[in-house]
Amino acid sequence: MKLNGRTVLVCDCAHSMPLDGKDLARACGADGATVHTQLCRSQLDRFEAAAKGATGPLLVACTQEAPLFAEVAAESAPQAELSFTNIRERAGWSDEGAAALPKIAALLAEATLNVPPTGSITLKSEGTCLVYGTDERAIEAARQLSGTLDVTVLLKNPKDVAPPRVMDVPVFRGTIRAAKGWLGAFEIVVDDYAYAVPSSRGALAFEPPRHGASSRCDVILDLTGGAPLFPAHTKRDGYLRPDPDSPAQVAKALFDAADLVGEFEKPRFIDFKADLCAHQRNAKTGCTRCLDVCPTGAIAPAGDTVAIDPHVCAGCGSCAAVCPTGASTYALPPMQTVFERLRTLLSAYANAGGKDAALLVHDPRHGDEVIALMAQHGRGLPARVLPFAVHEVTQLGFDFFATALAYGAAQVAVLTGPTNQGETAGLASQVGLIETAMSGLGYGSGRVSVIDARDPAAVESELWNLPHATAAAPGLFLPMGGKRTLVMLALRHLHKGAPTPVDVLPLPPGAPFGRVEVNVEGCTLCLSCVGACPTGALLDNPDKPMLSFAQDACVQCGLCKTTCPEKVITLAPQIDFRDSARGAVVIKEEEPFCCVRCGTPFASKSSIERIVTALSGKHWMFATPEAANRIRMCQDCRVIDQAERGEDPFAMGAPRVPRTTDDDLRERAALAAEGEDDGT
């Protein structure tokens, strides 16, 4: 069967899945389909023939035997381009397997899409390892690693540690005060640092300590059992922290540490466009959403924007999920690819006759295992539940949920895993936001939910008991444009078919959509807000004093509010579906104030009047009526007026006469003469 330029081989796994070739071809929109029964065993020659004769990529609908197929292809058809997808556990092995044909067609269609390569960075480790512990266990661990790594032991507050018979690894005392870095580039600062005394007897003794010692290493093995040295320490490359009381964990950490020598490729998880960042302007802080949710500390302020350290970033994607402008976007793979997969999956499901799809979003590690266990030992997935794998579920934001629902998903369930512990704050905020939007449009609550269960039986129960919901008519728009463009396409489609559409949908505080409300009576059109706005939502007019607002561009960062000197700006989170919200709307405009001397317009009338009221007769520079009138002049006329009136603004009085030695001698002589006259 041919799909999207790929040859697709399908097997019903020894008749364990109800598959008919004609029905499958019809569901996939293909000319014909052959369903094999034992493609990995008795019919392996069919795979070999297909691999040799393939004129394009080859897709095998089996992941269990992928290593076997890859080995056979490497020997008989090394030029073959192979890929694999799982339709057995994800669709066929289910109590509703007989009704899963639309899902199988959707999974095959999604698997035929090309995924672009992603960028990476290189981490280099030369094998310098610090073993940080409290007792003899740290020394023993260091001995086991000394054959492959250059090991140093640092003991924190050691007590009654027996001196090694042979000092085959260097031992020091100290407490790590600060640590930063990553695999191959750790930097530590140590207090209470001291060498072990070679003449120690009974218990290790140390030289007099010193504070603030610094060092570098490539790998840190932390056996202290205390507080970790890094936030989200399980995601810090090169930092291993097993439970020192667990021999199994320590043994695994030693095994992992021994392999951390050489060069390692790490994906570049986030693409960042600084020109879209709304973090800060003119030393005023605006958006801090990414800083608030980053679990590893990889994001730090950097002037008007933020900086993301790719070496520390662990790829949770929370920053991309909450970023209102699209400055941070997930890159493994690019979100454009994720949206194209989403559109292909849901449209193929609908074209094959599927209805009211429930999307199960999961990561490949925890999610694939749970789905496999459900299929092998339980009821499997319901026929309408479409599994959708992403690198990290915490990368999902409002844009993903809105687009999924607009493309025809009735519900979205997000399956979190053990590795997401402590990292779901951003995800929760985005789920709450889309739930508010869907409820406000009349679709009801429960459209997007989070399944935080590790037991496959519990996950299975939640999915089979998922309340049935009717999907919106699928949208036909392409996933093109930036983040906000795509969101508005999805929302306007959902608004068009909403059970109870509203023109203006209120949102909770902190939402990245809304309008700016200006008290026009207090506004002097100083336009400070325009200069501070990072997205161009607030606009001026070069020809006359005017302030305009484009609601589609506003991300509610609050920079305009904190910058406004008159404090007349407030934020109103909302989504306005009216056509008037798509363009700029004039908030306030005035006739320009013209110079009273030459007639040149140079400011707004309210600004000049406010300045005159504040300074006229109250400031020494404008004490006279003539001086006060200069406030009403343009900058050129002010200088001319001063010159014509004979006023020199730079006049500082006569220069001081330098004092010399002769002056001192004259004063002495005068004092002496005065004394003689007095007889003193």
Side-chain angles (χ1 to χ4, degrees):
M1 179 172 64
K2 285 277 190 180
L3 286 178
N4 195 25
R6 292 178 183 260
T7 300
V8 181
L9 299 180
V10 179
C11 179
D12 65 8
C13 200
H15 302 300
S16 62
M17 292 185 292
L19 277 180
D20 178 79
K22 291 182 179 180
D23 292 340
L24 180 62
R26 190 180 306 111
C28 294
D31 293 335
T34 300
V35 177
H36 307 281
T37 57
Q38 285 190 335
L39 193 61
C40 61
R41 295 294 183 267
S42 62
Q43 298 172 339
L44 189 59
D45 58 323
R46 298 187 184 182
F47 166 77
E48 189 173 355
K52 290 180 179 179
T55 57
L58 185 64
L59 172 64
V60 183
C62 174
T63 53
Q64 175 179 289
E65 299 298 328
L68 172 64
F69 292 129
E71 181 181 349
V72 172
E75 294 178 357
S76 60
Q79 80 288 346
E81 182 183 340
L82 294 181
S83 60
F84 304 91
T85 190
N86 181 2
I87 63 171
R88 189 180 70 179
E89 281 84 358
R90 297 199 293 168
W93 282 6
S94 166
D95 285 3
E96 294 182 346
L101 192 59
K103 185 203 293 192
I104 292 175
L107 294 175
L108 292 175
E110 180 202 359
T112 62
L113 295 177
N114 294 316
V115 178
T118 56
S120 63
I121 57 175
T122 301
L123 306 180
K124 185 177 181 180
S125 169
E126 296 180 355
T128 303
C129 177
L130 175 70
V131 178
Y132 187 39
T134 60
D135 51 31
E136 291 90 345
R137 292 176 295 183
I139 299 176
E140 181 57 32
R143 285 198 179 105
Q144 296 184 44
L145 291 173
S146 60
T148 55
L149 302 178
D150 181 7
V151 186
T152 299
V153 177
L154 183 66
L155 298 179
K156 177 182 179 181
N157 301 324
K159 295 180 179 179
D160 300 327
V161 176
R165 185 175 59 83
V166 178
M167 194 68 79
D168 46 359
V169 292
V171 179
F172 301 86
R173 181 182 71 187
T175 300
I176 297 179
R177 184 216 309 166
K180 63 179 181 179
W182 52 86
L183 174 64
F186 285 111
E187 298 179 14
I188 60 172
V189 178
V190 181
D191 287 340
D192 196 29
Y193 176 73
Y195 298 90
V197 176
S199 59
S200 300
R201 183 181 181 183
L204 269 180
F206 297 88
E207 299 284 347
R210 65 186 178 93
H211 299 305
S214 61
S215 183
R216 299 172 63 92
C217 59
D218 299 316
V219 180
I220 298 177
L221 175 60
D222 187 348
L223 297 176
T224 61
L229 299 178
F230 303 97
H233 63 276
T234 58
K235 297 179 179 293
R236 184 67 60 119
D237 297 314
Y239 178 67
L240 308 173
R241 185 179 169 271
D243 181 355
D245 295 324
S246 171
Q249 288 189 29
V250 172
K252 183 180 183 304
L254 293 174
F255 181 80
D256 293 340
D259 283 341
L260 295 179
V261 182
E263 292 188 358
F264 303 88
E265 293 295 318
K266 177 180 179 178
R268 188 178 290 274
F269 297 106
I270 300 294
D271 283 335
F272 182 69
K273 298 178 181 178
D275 57 325
L276 297 179
C277 183
H279 170 58
Q280 181 175 283
R281 293 295 185 274
N282 304 321
K284 301 288 187 180
T285 301
C287 178
T288 61
R289 292 176 175 93
C290 61
L291 293 167
D292 296 337
V293 300
C294 179
T296 63
I299 307 177
D304 284 351
T305 68
V306 298
I308 302 178
D309 191 335
H311 301 90
V312 178
C313 175
C316 72
S318 296
C319 58
V322 301
C323 180
T325 64
S328 295
T329 56
Y330 210 71
L332 190 68
M335 287 305 294
Q336 201 73 19
T337 302
V338 174
F339 290 130
E340 188 59 43
R341 285 177 51 211
L342 190 61
R343 178 173 178 267
T344 300
L345 180 75
L346 291 170
S347 62
Y349 176 77
N351 292 337
K355 296 183 181 300
D356 300 330
L359 199 68
L360 175 63
V361 191
H362 62 90
D363 64 48
R365 302 171 302 280
H366 174 65
D368 283 350
E369 182 180 1
V370 169
I371 291 172
L373 290 173
M374 288 167 51
Q376 292 168 2
H377 306 288
R379 301 178 66 186
L381 291 177
R384 76 182 187 97
V385 174
L386 307 183
F388 189 82
V390 295
H391 188 264
E392 291 285 357
V393 295
T394 44
Q395 75 185 68
L396 305 178
F398 184 82
D399 54 336
F400 177 88
F401 299 128
T403 304
L405 296 169
Y407 277 150
Q411 293 153 296
V412 180
V414 182
L415 177 62
T416 58
T419 59
N420 303 127
Q421 186 174 2
E423 300 177 357
T424 57
L427 174 64
S429 68
Q430 300 302 295
V431 171
L433 188 58
I434 190 64
E435 280 285 278
T436 299
M438 295 301 288
S439 296
L441 293 174
Y443 288 100
S445 60
R447 291 287 177 160
V448 179
S449 59
V450 175
I451 301 177
D452 188 21
R454 301 185 184 184
D455 182 9
V459 176
E460 181 180 270
S461 176
E462 288 204 40
L463 291 174
W464 282 89
N465 293 322
L466 200 64
H468 192 276
T470 303
L476 302 177
F477 59 92
L478 296 174
M480 300 176 66
K483 181 175 184 175
R484 292 183 67 82
T485 300
L486 184 59
V487 165
M488 294 312 299
L489 284 172
L491 288 176
R492 288 193 173 104
H493 173 77
L494 292 170
H495 177 263
K496 184 178 179 180
T500 56
V502 293
D503 289 338
V504 179
L505 178 65
L507 296 177
F513 305 93
R515 75 176 189 274
V516 168
E517 295 181 341
V518 180
N519 179 1
V520 294
E521 294 181 359
C523 176
T524 61
L525 288 176
C526 69
L527 302 181
S528 297
C529 56
V530 174
C533 181
T535 63
L538 289 166
L539 307 165
D540 63 352
N541 186 334
D543 297 325
K544 64 183 303 186
M546 178 187 293
L547 177 64
S548 301
F549 175 64
Q551 185 162 311
D552 267 6
C554 181
V555 298
Q556 299 283 285
C557 66
L559 278 169
C560 56
K561 179 180 178 181
T562 57
T563 302
C564 178
E566 286 86 21
K567 306 303 178 186
V568 296
I569 294 180
T570 56
L571 304 178
Q574 64 176 36
I575 298 174
D576 194 333
F577 293 101
R578 295 171 294 188
D579 292 340
S580 59
R582 301 191 187 191
V585 177
V586 176
I587 296 178
K588 183 177 182 179
E589 63 177 322
E590 293 181 2
E591 291 300 320
F593 188 89
C594 297
C595 174
V596 295
R597 181 183 176 96
C598 70
T600 301
F602 70 97
S604 67
K605 184 178 180 181
S606 58
S607 295
I608 297 300
E609 290 177 348
R610 187 183 184 95
I611 295 172
V612 169
T613 302
L615 299 179
S616 181
K618 301 175 183 177
H619 191 280
W620 67 268
M621 290 185 63
F622 308 102
T624 66
E626 294 79 12
N629 198 44
R630 291 190 193 114
I631 300 175
R632 302 181 178 90
M633 298 180 187
C634 65
Q635 57 184 5
D636 293 334
C637 290
R638 291 172 196 160
V639 177
I640 296 172
D641 184 70
Q642 279 186 313
E644 289 180 349
R645 295 180 183 276
E647 300 177 15
D648 183 1
F650 302 103
M652 302 296 292
R656 185 175 179 180
V657 177
R659 186 177 181 85
T660 65
T661 303
D662 291 340
D663 296 326
D664 292 334
L665 293 174
R666 279 195 298 270
E667 286 185 3
R668 286 184 187 179
L671 288 173
E674 186 177 338
E676 291 177 358
D677 293 341
D678 294 341
T680 59

